[in-house]
Amino acid sequence: MAAQTYGDGLKELRGLRDEVMKAEKVRDRAQKALDKAIAARDNKVKQLGVHEQAKAERIAPAAGISVKDVVDLVPALGPQSAAAAPAAPDSAPAAEKNPPEEPPAVTERTGATPPALPQVQAHQASREAPDEDSTARTAPQEPAAEQPPSGDSSEADAPAVADEPRDEAPASEPVMRTLPSVPEGPEGDRWFAVAPNLVSEHPNFTQKVRPAVFLDATTGALAFRDRRVQLDLGSRSAAEILTAVYATVPESVGRIYITAGDPWHRDADRHRYLKDAVAAWLDAPLPEGWQVDTGRGKDDLAGHYVHERKPVGRWQRGNLRTEIRSVTEWFDSEGADVTVIRQAFVLTLQALQKEKPTKRFPDAVLMGSPSQTGRDLWSRTISTKKGSRWADGYPVMSAEIRQLLHATSGQGRTELITPPRISEELPQWTELDRTLAYGKHTWTSGVGAPRRITAHAFDSMSEKDKTNALFAPSHWQVRVTIPDDWNHVGLLPAAVEGDRSWIYPHEGGRTFVTWAGGAEINAALRNPIQPWKIEILDGLLWEAGAPLREWSDKLKDAWAELASWARAAGTDELRQAYKLASRAVRSILLYGIGSFAQRPRVTTGTVQRGHEREIPKGAHVVSMEGDTIVWERTSVSRNPWAHPEWSAGVWSAARAALLSTGVKNQDGTKTHIGALHLPPGSIVAFRTDAIYTSELPNWPYNGDPGDYLLKGHLPYPVAAPTNEQEFYGLQANGRAWLNKDAPQ
């Protein structure tokens, strides 16, 4: 191609770029107008819904929405308003925990917010099967807490949890969501207890090893032990994969990791939703003798877990039980060969089992997912020494407190800040990511039953006791007032209706009520710019303990060792294997912490009109279509591993450190870092533990957990992103530019 032709082509391309940008702006303006109109319509539905003559059947056609949508906005218009009825707590009498027999059409799903806590966003149901490898386990696994990492070294790239999808730029003023409160008097005081006879104990069994093989579904390459073989997978159906694999490997193999190819997406173009394509792949006909795994006694391993990108299929043939799952639950394989990926798993296990010079987890077993592995490893660090404070196990809090924590504490901060809060053109683009951030905040956690600190009790404390309470493991309901002249990012989360769930108000003079952890309250009171006004309304205060410290320290040690070996490896294959192994350990820590959240379980069912009395106690109506009524009931299972106070505490501390924290310099001095140490108007976005800014700060990086790593940079002016697509484009370009000279 001639130089002149190439130049003319670039000029034409720039023109097309401008046309695309103009069209996108028109689309975005239209979308904002639509969102604003929808919000206004929904508010009007809520206003009309409180009228004494209001009926869902009349409001629905006037609003142009379904009866179900009206009931979702105004639950009181359902045939039975039980939205505020608490789920049966662990300590409830047997009669209350066994409601009238339910209709046949009953399903279960996890990840929803309890109806006991009003106006908390529920989550989309999915066909989720419990997912746990323990041969002695009886409590159900919560798949919603088992989101796999992206494979990057940053929590910023980990998928958001169910209650916190990534933000879009706000199209209109969000509708605030009222968070639950602890009841006044004896009813609320009853919440501050532990669940009877429910503790996290050191296991009395050895975890069963399930040998795994690694399969590239694109090429048919299979890594088994020290062999690499080539398989013919046909059309890559589950039946063909099972047949090909078990014609090659012995029946002792209990797990097939797919490293590339995503065979469950092979017919995605035939289905409207990706999850439907996955379900169809899992449910397709099987070879003679095979069937879907029905479980083993008390073990919960049964059925498939349907997920758009990381499904788990479980099958059995005679005494053989196996599962097919994606290796991306552990890390992004980055195109590595199956033999390298297998070696990464071997190195991971070796690092965990290492006994010298520091004893880690000599009885470690790699289970199906990093969250399962992390929780199992943690349980084996529970002290059994006589006289130890928690030798009898860590007690689980009451169901009411667990539900309160689920409803009032989110995970990572996800926020996109757009013009006019920032300039339309940024002088540069910088991504700063906290390395292994969650591991930085596991040195102390709340243990046992929390103590209630009412507004009156807090006001009666001495200043020293108030300070100690806020620095202790705690969770507070507060009334927040932002200083009138505040001109930086928001500091505390506020709940809103819709997909975003949480925003971070920043407007000077604004007042709102919310819940936040002690670390975030301290960040607001003691930030380096100007203290916010905080009024304590209620609070939960725990005894300080260190249930996660030993576990976390061992994992951080293994992670650092593997990362060090990756830098020193002599071959590209070995370097990549060590790199992937370090990411696997990082995932065990990250998702092990998330597994303690243990989302509540929702049961749904149907009854016919005229039989509303058959709706179980504690359930509420979610839709009415014709003569069929669909109900939901939320319960908190008696799970001995449910400690949302630990995950909530780590997440709160990580959000606070995103704003302001310290890092040691080589000379022993300390540098204060975080968003509040950057100029106002320079913050473009937050992604869990990453800051995106138009500045390039000279922050020290020692490679320790919590340090900010420069991960992406564009040293020239760029247009500020106005939506998620533009943001991720800049993120990708920034990383590519920074790594342009890195060896491939």
Side-chain angles (χ1 to χ4, degrees):
M1 179 183 292
Q4 180 63 40
T5 304
Y6 180 71
D8 293 343
L10 288 177
K11 182 177 180 180
E12 182 181 356
L13 184 60
R14 294 189 191 100
L16 294 173
R17 176 200 62 191
D18 294 341
E19 290 181 18
V20 170
M21 292 179 65
K22 289 179 182 179
E24 286 178 340
K25 288 181 179 180
V26 172
R27 178 201 63 194
D28 292 343
R29 285 196 296 269
Q31 184 63 48
K32 289 180 180 180
L34 174 61
D35 292 344
K36 185 175 182 180
I38 290 174
R41 179 200 66 193
D42 291 349
N43 284 334
K44 179 60 67 175
V45 169
K46 292 177 181 178
Q47 293 173 10
L48 295 175
V50 300
H51 194 278
E52 61 182 6
Q53 296 181 353
K55 292 184 179 180
E57 291 82 355
R58 294 195 62 187
I59 294 178
I65 56 180
S66 70
V67 172
K68 174 188 179 301
D69 292 334
V70 174
V71 174
D72 286 344
L73 292 169
V74 190
L77 296 181
Q80 176 178 331
S81 179
D90 294 328
S91 56
E96 294 183 7
K97 297 179 76 172
N98 291 281
E101 184 175 352
E102 299 170 359
V106 178
T107 60
E108 287 192 350
R109 60 188 173 97
T110 58
T113 306
L117 307 173
Q119 300 188 50
V120 178
Q121 178 187 351
H123 306 303
Q124 185 65 38
S126 67
R127 301 197 315 162
E128 298 172 350
D131 194 3
E132 186 60 63
D133 285 57
S134 170
T135 56
R137 175 151 168 72
T138 58
Q141 161 74 8
E142 303 288 354
E146 197 180 311
Q147 296 292 336
S150 67
D152 207 283
S153 59
S154 162
E155 280 85 353
D157 295 319
V161 292
D163 62 345
E164 293 189 73
R166 291 189 168 108
D167 288 351
E168 293 288 345
S172 58
E173 183 66 22
V175 178
M176 301 302 291
R177 174 164 52 93
T178 302
L179 292 173
S181 301
V182 181
E184 297 291 340
E187 181 184 355
D189 294 339
R190 181 177 61 82
W191 290 19
F192 291 78
V194 297
N197 304 315
L198 193 62
V199 295
S200 302
E201 298 177 295
H202 192 288
N204 59 1
F205 62 93
T206 300
Q207 193 62 256
K208 181 180 178 181
V209 176
R210 301 187 69 186
V213 296
F214 301 86
L215 175 66
D216 185 327
T218 301
T219 66
L222 176 77
F224 165 57
R225 294 178 183 166
D226 295 326
R227 298 167 53 197
R228 185 183 191 278
V229 298
Q230 196 70 29
L231 303 182
D232 181 0
L233 302 180
S235 64
R236 301 187 301 157
S237 67
E240 289 167 307
I241 289 176
L242 291 171
T243 299
V245 169
Y246 283 99
T248 308
V249 305
E251 292 195 353
S252 60
V253 171
R255 185 171 295 128
I256 303 169
Y257 280 114
I258 302 297
T259 65
D262 295 345
W264 38 81
H265 292 162
R266 62 173 192 157
D267 294 327
D269 56 342
R270 300 181 184 180
H271 298 270
R272 183 176 181 182
Y273 300 107
L274 198 58
K275 184 174 288 187
D276 292 339
V278 173
W281 187 85
L282 292 169
D283 294 335
L286 296 169
E288 184 177 355
W290 285 94
Q291 66 182 60
V292 177
D293 194 346
T294 56
R296 306 183 277 261
K298 293 183 178 180
D299 198 347
D300 289 319
L301 274 173
H304 305 313
Y305 168 42
V306 181
H307 185 277
E308 289 91 336
R309 302 190 183 279
K310 285 91 177 178
V312 181
R314 302 186 182 94
W315 295 273
Q316 66 181 80
R317 183 181 67 184
N319 293 325
L320 166 63
R321 283 180 164 83
T322 191
E323 60 185 18
I324 297 178
R325 57 199 312 156
S326 174
V327 81
T328 55
E329 293 184 70
W330 293 83
F331 46 69
D332 182 350
S333 62
E334 298 182 341
D337 187 76
V338 289
T339 56
V340 173
I341 294 173
R342 179 187 176 276
Q343 189 174 20
F345 273 73
V346 171
L347 294 173
T348 300
L349 185 59
Q350 290 175 348
L352 295 175
Q353 293 178 338
K354 185 176 179 180
E355 296 197 44
K356 293 180 181 181
T358 301
K359 188 174 182 179
R360 292 179 186 153
F361 308 97
D363 53 355
V365 171
L366 293 184
M367 301 168 71
S369 71
S371 65
Q372 295 168 351
T373 305
R375 191 168 56 202
D376 181 72
L377 294 178
W378 170 79
S379 69
R380 297 172 192 279
T381 65
I382 300 175
S383 176
T384 57
K385 293 181 181 178
K386 188 175 181 180
S388 175
R389 176 71 174 87
W390 303 105
D392 294 329
Y394 290 98
V396 174
M397 294 180 300
S398 69
E400 293 87 355
I401 290 296
R402 280 182 278 150
Q403 290 190 66
L404 181 72
L405 287 169
H406 287 310
T408 60
S409 58
Q411 189 182 349
R413 177 169 181 168
T414 303
E415 183 179 17
L416 178 62
I417 301 173
T418 59
R421 286 182 61 187
I422 61 174
S423 299
E424 292 189 357
E425 183 175 87
L426 308 178
Q428 59 186 344
W429 169 272
T430 303
E431 178 184 2
L432 297 160
D433 171 56
R434 294 187 74 213
T435 299
L436 203 68
Y438 288 175
K440 180 74 172 179
H441 306 291
T442 53
W443 66 278
T444 185
S445 303
V447 288
R451 180 161 60 99
R452 185 176 190 179
I453 306 295
T454 63
H456 175 73
F458 189 83
D459 289 341
S460 301
M461 289 181 172
S462 66
E463 290 303 313
K464 180 179 179 180
D465 288 342
K466 288 180 180 179
T467 300
N468 290 340
L470 290 175
F471 275 100
S474 53
H475 193 62
W476 303 92
Q477 185 182 35
V478 293
R479 180 177 290 109
V480 183
T481 301
I482 305 175
D484 290 337
D485 55 350
W486 184 260
N487 69 341
H488 217 294
V489 297
L491 306 185
L492 292 173
V496 294
E497 299 281 3
D499 291 339
R500 285 184 293 158
S501 294
W502 301 94
I503 61 171
Y504 290 81
H506 63 280
E507 302 89 350
R510 182 170 179 174
T511 297
F512 60 97
V513 173
T514 191
W515 284 86
E520 292 170 282
I521 301 299
N522 278 308
L525 289 171
R526 298 171 174 83
N527 74 78
I529 299 176
Q530 185 180 5
W532 284 23
K533 180 181 178 181
I534 305 293
E535 180 184 353
I536 299 294
L537 305 179
D538 212 340
L540 289 69
L541 180 64
W542 283 272
E543 174 186 344
L548 303 177
R549 187 185 302 174
E550 178 185 353
W551 170 77
S552 175
D553 286 348
K554 290 180 177 180
L555 289 174
K556 287 185 287 185
D557 187 49
W559 166 80
E561 179 180 87
L562 289 166
S564 175
W565 279 108
R567 292 189 293 270
T571 65
D572 290 342
E573 291 78 9
L574 191 57
R575 184 182 304 112
Q576 189 173 29
Y578 273 116
K579 181 181 178 182
L580 295 178
S582 70
R583 291 179 174 178
V585 173
R586 171 248 181 200
S587 297
I588 291 171
L589 176 61
L590 170 62
Y591 293 103
I593 291 171
S595 72
F596 290 116
Q598 292 297 321
R599 295 291 170 183
R601 186 174 296 275
V602 173
T603 303
T604 65
T606 60
V607 298
Q608 297 301 305
R609 284 186 182 273
H611 297 270
E612 287 83 352
R613 297 180 66 179
E614 297 177 9
I615 297 176
K617 182 178 180 180
H620 70 286
V621 171
V622 295
S623 67
M624 297 180 295
E625 296 292 342
D627 291 333
T628 301
I629 299 172
V630 179
W631 54 262
E632 273 187 1
R633 183 182 60 192
T634 303
S635 62
V636 178
S637 63
R638 287 184 56 83
N639 194 321
W641 312 114
H643 292 285
E645 69 276 19
W646 298 348
S647 50
V650 170
W651 295 338
S652 174
R655 290 193 298 267
L658 196 62
L659 300 170
S660 180
T661 188
V663 62
K664 287 185 178 180
N665 300 306
Q666 294 294 332
D667 60 1
T669 59
K670 194 173 186 179
T671 297
H672 293 285
I673 58 178
L676 295 182
H677 300 279
L678 294 171
S682 68
I683 306 299
V684 180
F686 294 101
R687 281 300 181 275
T688 305
D689 289 306
I691 297 173
Y692 297 82
T693 173
S694 57
E695 295 287 308
L696 181 59
N698 186 26
W699 291 346
Y701 181 75
N702 305 312
D704 297 327
D707 289 357
Y708 277 97
L709 171 69
L710 178 62
K711 195 170 177 181
H713 186 55
L714 295 173
Y716 49 80
V718 297
T722 60
N723 55 49
E724 295 295 291
Q725 183 178 2
E726 294 174 358
F727 166 81
Y728 286 113
L730 286 172
Q731 181 194 65
N733 291 340
R735 293 179 181 180
W737 187 92
L738 192 65
N739 296 320
K740 66 181 185 302
D741 297 325
Q744 299 299 315

